[in-house]
Amino acid sequence: MNKLLIIGAGGHGKVVADTAQASGKWSSIAFLDDQHILKKNYPFPVLGDIEHAFKCVKDYNYIAVAIGDNQRRVNLLKKFKDFGFKLPAIIHPSAVISKYSIIDEGSVIFANCVINANAVISFGCIINTACTVDHDCILGAGVHLSPGVNLAGGVRIGDFCWIGIGATIIQQITIDQESIVGAGAVIIENVPSTSTVVGVPGRVIKRFNNEV
Ligand SMILES: CC(=O)SCCNC(=O)CCNC(=O)[C@H](O)C(C)(C)COP(=O)(O)OP(=O)(O)OC[C@H]1O[C@@H](n2cnc3c(N)ncnc32)[C@H](O)[C@@H]1OP(=O)(O)O
């Protein structure tokens, strides 16, 4: 039977567990969290801290990392993969996924998302509730689309970008790596790497964590 460990028992972890359970692919689901003493009243057990994973590989063959920090999530996924865990793509049954799209391992796709033809969701992405990713979009590793993000056709998003809740990105735009798009922004021009962009239309307010 397939058994799933989830690293991180916070809010995002709850939704990952709920999504995994809804997908019906796991006979057993449990969490690991470094603050496991605080995590009572979860519908799934919290077995111990994150290091405990290395003792669980014989009992739990799959692992998901439910940590919001994009770089840390990807680093942990790679570490657990090297150790012998399988990394599932966890997809809610209400999501509509084109058979011509690619969803890489370690990614999660929550309820009511639509992923259209030729889209690529790379390693360790979070496609949060009710996002649409249209045809030919390419998302790098560790991208997080917050709830309700809409990407038009052919959008490219670099590694470790975070796109805020309700943002909209028009067709053929490139958002370079490690950038942040603010909640509700409408992006109509390419965004350079390590930028923070907010507003309608989007404007860069920070680069390399400094004001511009
Ligand atoms: C399931 C989940 O919960 S997933 C998580 C969903 N959450 C989100 O999507 C949150 C997205 N985060 C944001 O939008 C944030 O405001 C960020 C990341 C864009 C900016 O955060 P910070 O870097 O801390 O910027 P800060 O708060 O200092 O704001 C800087 C300026 O930008 C403005 N600003 C910040 N965010 C926005 C926004 N989304 N739209 C318009 N203006 C904004 C601020 O008002 C401020 O303006 P001022 O200088 O004129 O006062």
Side-chain angles (χ1 to χ4, degrees):
M1 291 299 269
N2 290 325
K3 296 173 78 177
L4 178 68
L5 266 184
I6 300 174
I7 303 296
H12 178 54
K14 289 179 192 172
V15 186
V16 171
D18 192 42
T19 302
Q21 188 179 51
S23 76
K25 293 188 174 163
W26 284 278
S27 60
S28 175
I29 297 171
F31 286 106
L32 296 179
D33 193 298
D34 285 348
Q35 295 174 330
H36 58 97
I37 292 165
L38 304 176
K39 309 283 178 179
K40 304 290 181 195
N41 304 322
Y42 268 56
F44 307 97
V46 183
L47 302 179
D49 59 21
I50 294 176
E51 286 298 309
H52 190 64
F54 299 107
K55 295 180 187 150
C56 294
V57 70
K58 288 201 179 90
D59 295 329
Y60 287 82
N61 45 349
Y62 283 88
I63 202 162
V65 178
I67 289 177
D69 182 300
N70 290 335
Q71 306 221 15
R72 184 160 179 242
R73 183 174 66 257
V74 165
N75 288 341
L76 280 172
L77 282 165
K78 287 179 178 167
K79 190 170 159 184
F80 289 126
K81 183 177 182 180
D82 289 346
F83 195 74
F85 283 102
K86 291 190 232 176
L87 308 179
I90 297 176
I91 300 173
H92 195 279
S94 67
V96 178
I97 312 284
S98 167
K99 67 179 178 181
Y100 303 109
S101 65
I102 295 171
I103 315 292
D104 203 352
E105 60 188 3
S107 289
V108 293
I109 301 188
F110 288 167
N112 286 341
C113 289
V114 178
I115 311 291
N116 269 344
N118 272 14
V120 176
I121 311 293
S122 299
F123 186 86
C125 289
I126 301 169
I127 312 301
N128 224 309
T129 311
C131 289
T132 63
V133 176
D134 225 296
H135 62 88
D136 304 300
C137 286
I138 300 179
L139 276 57
V143 168
H144 178 185
L145 303 187
S146 299
V149 166
N150 295 126
L151 306 185
V155 169
R156 289 172 178 256
I157 301 187
D159 295 349
F160 307 119
C161 286
W162 176 31
I163 312 300
I165 188 164
T168 297
I169 303 179
I170 71 165
Q171 71 278 2
Q172 306 301 334
I173 290 294
T174 296
I175 313 279
D176 275 339
Q177 62 189 29
E178 295 175 54
S179 286
I180 296 171
V181 172
V186 176
I187 305 301
I188 60 170
E189 290 179 353
N190 293 342
V191 174
S193 63
T194 65
S195 306
T196 299
V197 186
V198 301
V200 181
R203 63 189 168 86
V204 176
I205 56 165
K206 293 180 188 176
R207 278 208 76 189
F208 305 106
N209 298 322
N210 294 316
E211 307 263 333
V212 291

